[in-house]
Amino acid sequence: MSEGSSQILPVIMCGGSGTRLWPASRDSMPKQFIDLLGENSTFQTAVQRVTAPQVFLRPAVISSNDVRFIVAEQLAQIGAQADIILEPIQRDSAAAIAVAACHAARHSPETIVLVIAADHVIDDPAAFAVACQAAVEPARQGHIMTLGVVPQYPATSYGYIKPGRAIKGTDAYRVERFVEKPNVETAEGYIGQGFLWNSGNFLFRADIMIEELEKFQPAILEAARDALERATTDLDFIRLHEDAFKLVPKISIDYAVMEHTERAGVLPVSFQWSDIGSWGALWDASERDEAGNALRGNVEVVEARNSLVHSDDILTTVVGIDDVVVVAKPDAVLVTSRSRSELVKELVVSMRAKQRPEASEHLRMYRPWGWYQRIDRGSRFQVKRIMVKPGGRLSLQKHYHRAEHWVVVRGTAEVTINQEIVVLHENESVYIPIGSLHRLTNPGRIPLELIEVQVGSYTGEDDIVRVEDIYGR
């Protein structure tokens, strides 16, 4: 990158499970991949926010191994490309930013890096791009910049930043101090003193962040650098080395660096911003009707105000109550007050302790070839609906404890059973005996949909022996 260039390398952090937005967000499909506010997911809108070629370089996405195919699929849906870096185990933001800085330094030590979260919502992408460009000059001067949002109300779910002395020749300021999430009274005082919300968007020179990590968190830098240097390429993914990455301490970038460095800077911004950290925050960010209700899906309300009601399946009704959140999924229903919706995280912890699968898994489970959805399950059977994308191919596999019956309801299926290959069309079926080597492929141009009936002594997902898999699983 040339000395005068203003191009920025965007890095999108795409981890986390979003438990406060259960039951819509679960480990199998976290909130950043769900279309909570429109046709696209917040991850997709985050990518689109940093694709202007005159401002941004090709982005990098740092994500977990478990959602790698969701990342790739959603990038393809919006026609975007990115370097996808996979964390083998979950760590906090300091690890991701250390990897981002080392990744950027490979291009040039002075590369300007922008780190953003995949689950944040910003109402004005053009204003965001302008703010990023305005933060470049103080970043070039050696400041680690963050975007400080002018508060809209005394929020208790965000950290705050107190701006200090102006940074010469820019609209930015040195950070006087960071403060944790306050109560309402304290937040009101912060706003009166000119504090800003800490948006968690960072912009810095790669070498400056590396220097500060070396000073305050050398163990993080060493392990992250080693994990990147020993990374391997798998399909379109960059896999960080697992043994090296395990040595990275689990800590946020705020605690690791930002609260210690003397190089912290902040640029005030006034666009609408939210991290969608709860159902209450989603209500704040949603379009609402004249009664203040954010309604989506198969819902009806009477004499209800200032509520969020979502359902993608069964008819969900709310009558005569205000300020509530009601979210209905095929396998779970959430009812809570809007003001206390952050307690959903504690509910999920409780359900996980009781080993309730609904805490982490959706009925519809996404795979690189498409998805499957459980319809019914008993002691010796399970019924699923399966969709295979055009060109999609399941692994060549076998089961020791179950036989399967497949009935095609849409599209064309190419089925391999041992040495035989058969082609099935709508309303045709096939039987897969226990122990048979088999594979399902969609050779057509439209999605393949079929009903699968499993019968046997055990129907768990771990009764799969993969012999060959084009997705490298």
Side-chain angles (χ1 to χ4, degrees):
M1 189 166 63
S2 65
E3 180 67 24
S5 172
S6 62
Q7 280 188 301
I8 300 163
L9 173 63
V11 178
I12 303 165
M13 294 191 296
C14 207
S17 57
T19 53
R20 289 185 180 90
L21 287 179
W22 184 91
S25 175
R26 311 185 199 183
D27 289 342
S28 61
M29 181 62 81
K31 68 174 181 176
Q32 59 266 29
F33 302 117
I34 302 171
D35 54 345
L36 292 169
L37 288 167
E39 293 183 359
N40 290 334
S41 67
T42 58
F43 166 64
Q44 290 173 314
T45 57
V47 173
Q48 291 170 329
R49 203 179 300 138
V50 293
T51 52
Q54 66 274 24
V55 180
F56 300 106
L57 300 166
R58 173 188 171 104
V61 177
I62 300 181
S63 187
S64 72
N65 180 67
D66 292 342
V67 297
R68 65 194 187 280
F69 292 114
I70 299 175
V71 170
E73 175 69 16
Q74 293 208 348
L75 286 170
Q77 287 172 359
I78 59 173
Q81 295 183 334
D83 297 324
I84 304 174
I85 302 172
L86 301 179
E87 295 180 327
I89 54 176
Q90 195 172 50
R91 285 293 183 261
D92 215 320
S93 57
I97 288 178
V99 169
C102 293
H103 173 73
R106 289 176 163 181
H107 301 280
S108 167
E110 296 187 358
T111 299
I112 301 294
V113 182
L114 169 69
V115 177
I116 62 175
D119 56 356
H120 290 189
V121 173
I122 292 172
D123 73 332
D124 191 339
F128 175 80
V130 169
C132 291
Q133 289 174 298
V136 167
E137 179 54 34
R140 276 211 191 99
Q141 294 179 22
H143 297 281
I144 300 176
M145 298 301 301
T146 185
L147 302 183
V149 180
V150 176
Q152 309 294 313
Y153 57 92
T156 60
S157 57
Y158 301 143
Y160 285 72
I161 298 172
K162 184 178 183 181
R165 291 181 289 116
I167 297 174
K168 186 177 180 180
T170 75
D171 295 324
Y173 301 83
R174 294 178 180 273
V175 171
E176 186 169 316
R177 67 186 174 111
F178 293 91
V179 294
E180 292 299 312
K181 300 173 183 178
N183 57 33
V184 173
E185 293 77 14
T186 304
E188 288 173 346
Y190 287 161
I191 292 174
Q193 298 172 56
F195 281 56
L196 304 167
W197 285 343
N198 184 358
S199 72
N201 295 283
F202 297 100
L203 191 139
F204 51 82
R205 260 174 41 190
D207 58 347
I208 296 297
M209 179 58 77
I210 289 171
E211 285 179 15
E212 298 302 272
L213 285 164
E214 184 71 64
K215 183 186 300 182
F216 300 112
Q217 299 290 339
I220 292 177
L221 178 62
E222 181 181 358
R225 180 183 280 150
D226 190 30
L228 186 62
E229 288 177 351
R230 298 167 66 186
T232 56
T233 301
D234 173 16
L235 300 177
D236 294 327
F237 308 110
I238 300 169
R239 290 184 176 274
L240 297 175
H241 191 273
E242 183 170 1
D243 290 340
F245 197 72
K246 281 180 179 178
L247 300 177
V248 180
K250 191 172 184 179
I251 184 174
S252 73
I253 193 65
D254 298 271
Y255 289 131
V257 172
M258 299 307 293
E259 293 186 359
H260 306 289
T261 182
E262 296 180 356
R263 289 171 155 173
V266 60
L267 179 77
V269 297
S270 57
F271 47 70
Q272 297 283 335
W273 165 86
S274 174
D275 68 355
I276 311 296
S278 67
W279 287 111
L282 182 63
W283 178 86
D284 287 330
S286 298
E287 292 186 7
R288 303 187 289 275
D289 62 20
E290 62 278 2
N293 295 317
L295 308 177
R296 186 167 185 177
N298 191 14
V299 305
E300 296 289 344
V301 300
V302 174
E303 295 294 326
R305 300 181 64 83
N306 301 323
S307 296
L308 182 146
V309 187
H310 283 195
S311 175
D312 25 337
D313 189 23
I314 61 172
L315 173 63
T316 301
T317 61
V318 174
V319 179
I321 54 176
D322 302 335
D323 303 306
V324 296
V325 170
V326 180
V327 182
K329 293 292 178 180
D331 61 336
V333 176
L334 169 71
V335 180
T336 181
S337 65
R338 189 162 53 81
S339 62
R340 306 196 70 193
S341 60
E342 289 196 12
L343 290 175
V344 171
K345 183 176 183 179
E346 296 181 19
L347 171 68
V348 174
V349 170
S350 174
M351 290 192 296
R352 285 176 176 168
K354 297 174 182 176
Q355 298 185 325
R356 298 207 62 146
E358 297 92 345
S360 301
E361 297 179 359
H362 287 278
L363 282 181
R364 178 170 292 186
M365 299 292 288
Y366 290 86
R367 295 293 183 262
W369 43 261
W371 51 259
Y372 69 83
Q373 181 171 326
R374 188 175 73 248
I375 299 173
D376 195 8
R377 181 165 58 186
S379 61
R380 291 183 58 85
F381 76 91
Q382 182 169 201
V383 182
K384 292 181 179 178
R385 178 184 171 194
I386 296 175
M387 188 282 288
V388 184
K389 297 179 294 188
R393 170 178 288 193
L394 280 67
S395 60
L396 185 64
Q397 59 184 253
K398 61 182 177 180
H399 312 294
Y400 288 122
H401 302 287
R402 68 174 185 255
E404 295 174 342
H405 304 257
W406 293 344
V407 181
V408 176
V409 296
R410 182 187 182 208
T412 302
E414 180 184 284
V415 181
T416 300
I417 307 176
N418 295 323
Q419 304 302 317
E420 182 183 4
I421 297 177
V422 297
V423 176
L424 305 177
H425 302 283
E426 290 183 10
N427 206 31
E428 295 181 338
S429 63
V430 67
Y431 170 64
I432 314 292
I434 291 179
S436 298
L437 206 57
H438 62 281
R439 165 179 275 159
L440 176 64
T441 302
N442 179 1
R445 296 184 178 181
I446 64 172
L448 162 65
E449 294 188 28
L450 56 85
I451 302 299
E452 176 183 85
V453 180
Q454 304 175 357
V455 180
S457 59
Y458 180 73
T459 60
E461 287 303 309
D462 53 349
D463 181 26
I464 297 178
V465 178
R466 289 192 175 94
V467 177
E468 181 183 309
D469 183 35
I470 64 172
Y471 306 108
R473 292 172 296 169

